[in-house]
């Protein structure tokens, strides 16, 4: 018989907003790289809670003709195998979709930093309800970069989010 397990959260100091903003810069650089490659400008990075970069990536769905290569999954894969996911922070330029929110849930990643939620409102509130620490930065550059892309390539954007 399988048992249902919940996230076990430990009391810890909340993420520092200044550190989170610094971490977001790595994800934003990845988003710009993705756009320069002809892809969708969403970037992500996996960090230790103390700000050590473990892996960074960007949405490569177009570049690799692979619908599963979202920014968060790219960063996750580049970080390699870990045993400390609850002590990790997934940083993403955009609210994570359900697929990427599931990745955070599956591996019990302890915190998520979100650049913006205006262009897409994904699963970050669901994750917060499960005990994942979520910090939304409302970053104007993240918002502007994706909004411009959506205006210029709405069909590609709608393909990416499954509409």
């Amino acid at each position: 018989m399988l048992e249902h397990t919940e996230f076990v959260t430990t009391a810890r100091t909340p993420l520092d907003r200044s550190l989170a903003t610094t971490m977001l810069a790595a994800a934003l650089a990845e988003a710009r790289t993705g756009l320069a490659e002809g892809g969708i400008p969403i970037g992500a990075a996996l960090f230790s809670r103390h700000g050590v970069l473990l892996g960074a990536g960007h949405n490569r769905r177009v570049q690799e003709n692979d619908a599963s290569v979202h920014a968060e999954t790219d960063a996750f894969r580049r970080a390699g195998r870990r045993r400390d996911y609850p002590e990790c922070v997934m940083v993403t330029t955009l609210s994570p979709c359900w697929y990427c929110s599931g990745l955070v849930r599956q591996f019990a990643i302890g915190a998520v930093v979100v650049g913006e939620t205006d262009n897409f409102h994904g699963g970050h509130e669901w994750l917060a309800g499960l005990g994942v620490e979520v910090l939304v930065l409302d970053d104007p550059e993240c918002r502007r970069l994706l909004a411009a892309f959506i205006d210029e390539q709405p069909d590609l954007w709608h393909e990416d989010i499954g509409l």
Side-chain angles (χ1 to χ4, degrees), residues 2 5 9 17 23 36 64 68 75 86 102 110 116 123 127 129 142:
L2 294 175
T5 57
T9 57
R17 188 173 186 86
M23 292 175 176
E64 295 186 12
S68 71
E116 65 103 353
L127 290 169
C142 289

Side-chain angles (χ1 to χ4, degrees), residues 25-143:
L28 191 52
E30 286 288 332
R32 289 184 184 115
T33 297
L35 182 62
E37 293 173 353
I40 299 162
I42 302 170
L46 190 67
F47 282 89
S48 75
R49 194 161 180 88
H50 303 291
V52 176
L53 179 62
L54 306 171
H58 52 275
N59 186 303
R60 297 174 191 267
R61 295 179 73 253
V62 173
Q63 299 92 314
E64 295 186 12
N65 195 32
D66 181 347
S68 71
V69 190
H70 288 208
E72 296 87 344
T73 58
D74 192 34
F76 180 80
R77 289 172 181 159
R78 291 172 187 276
R81 291 177 55 205
R82 309 211 47 89
R83 294 180 180 261
D84 63 347
Y85 291 117
E87 296 304 314
C88 292
V89 180
M90 179 62 77
V91 181
T92 179
T93 57
L94 183 66
S95 179
C97 69
W98 290 107
Y99 170 61
C100 296
S101 294
L103 174 93
V104 170
R105 169 75 170 147
Q106 175 69 32
F107 291 94
I109 293 171
V112 176
V113 172
V114 178
E116 65 103 353
T117 62
D118 290 345
N119 285 301
F120 180 76
H121 195 96
H124 67 277
E125 290 174 345
W126 174 71
L127 290 169
L130 294 171
V132 177
E133 182 179 1
V134 175
L135 177 57
V136 178
L137 295 177
D138 290 321
D139 183 81
E141 180 57 18
C142 289
R143 189 179 307 100

